[in-house]
Amino acid sequence: GGVPEMYNFIARNVKYPALAQRNNTQGKVFLKFVIKKDGSIGGVKILKGIGNGCDEEAIRLVKSMPNWIPGKKNGVPVNMWFTIPIS
């Protein structure tokens, strides 16, 4: 489903943290991760967080995504970095 399906997955599965609700924390968490040769996800890292549990929720979401179709270079599957914002 590509990037649109990824954002649909995030929208269906995000849980706004209670601490963030109480503190009215809003914004975007920027993170990066590796789509491995086998399509699994690894190396999840926060590039810019907003705190109050939102960073941890963004990491949980990315780690819970189903496997991807890996990127290829010259027809051979390769590891690829992907960077996304999660609101």
Side-chain angles (χ1 to χ4, degrees):
V3 174
E5 184 55 35
M6 175 191 66
Y7 281 111
N8 286 336
F9 174 86
I10 290 169
R12 287 189 312 266
N13 293 284
V14 69
K15 296 175 185 163
Y16 193 39
L19 181 59
Q21 289 178 23
R22 284 193 301 274
N23 292 321
N24 197 30
T25 302
Q26 299 179 26
K28 293 182 182 182
V29 175
F30 290 85
L31 40 74
K32 70 177 184 175
F33 57 94
V34 175
I35 302 167
K36 297 179 183 179
K37 296 176 194 179
D38 64 359
S40 64
I41 295 170
V44 182
K45 297 185 194 270
I46 298 290
L47 298 175
K48 180 178 180 250
I50 58 175
N52 289 323
C54 294
D55 304 347
E56 293 80 4
E57 176 61 6
I59 290 170
R60 184 196 68 79
L61 276 170
V62 169
K63 287 184 174 181
S64 70
M65 281 194 275
N67 283 1
W68 289 53
I69 296 171
K72 292 183 178 181
K73 183 174 182 180
N74 299 322
V76 178
V78 294
N79 293 340
M80 298 202 57
W81 284 100
F82 200 82
T83 303
I84 60 170
I86 296 180
S87 297

